Amino acid sequence: MNFNYHEQEYEEFPNFKGGEKSLYAKMFHDEKNRIIYGKLIPGASIGVHTHETNSEIIYITKGTGRVLMDGEYEKLEAGMCHYCPKGHTHSLMNDSDAELEFFAVVPEQNQLS
């Protein structure tokens, strides 16, 4: 299955997960995965949240920013990948003066009984 994000319009998600400003995203999701091409304008963020039932992989394609991972800040730039395992907490922020673009995958994982 292929997705052509060039043919899809961005959807705006104001204050996504309690963050600042808006997340702009092109998304595909089914019962197994959420696949996202997103951007944050300067000063925008995705709010702090915990991955209780899944993990998240974020690959930065353009710009710079930082993540807050389990209470510690880490710088990110194009070409870097951030991984938030199941059970951990993170946030993504654009603290630069240019757009931050990224590709993210959130695979749904089975919960252990």
Side-chain angles (χ1 to χ4, degrees), residues 8-100:
Q8 189 176 354
E9 296 294 322
Y10 280 103
E11 198 173 336
E12 182 178 2
F13 298 89
N15 307 105
F16 190 69
K17 299 208 179 269
E20 297 296 319
K21 300 186 180 180
S22 292
L23 163 67
Y24 295 89
K26 301 176 183 188
M27 289 193 208
F28 167 82
H29 60 90
D30 60 14
E31 64 280 354
K32 299 286 184 190
N33 293 287
R34 183 173 301 272
I35 303 169
I36 306 157
Y37 188 80
K39 67 179 175 180
L40 295 172
I41 62 171
S45 66
I46 296 171
V48 176
H49 59 284
T50 301
H51 283 267
E52 299 287 347
T53 62
N54 54 30
S55 60
E56 184 170 16
I57 301 159
I58 302 173
Y59 179 77
I60 306 301
T61 59
K62 180 181 172 186
T64 62
R66 61 185 173 144
V67 293
L68 177 62
M69 174 72 178
D70 291 336
E72 294 192 30
Y73 287 99
E74 301 173 8
K75 297 285 281 171
L76 286 174
E77 62 185 38
M80 292 179 74
C81 186
H82 165 71
Y83 172 58
C84 182
K86 180 178 174 180
H88 291 264
T89 300
H90 73 153
S91 172
L92 177 62
M93 296 155 256
N94 182 351
D95 60 357
S96 75
D97 59 359
E99 287 186 350
L100 173 66

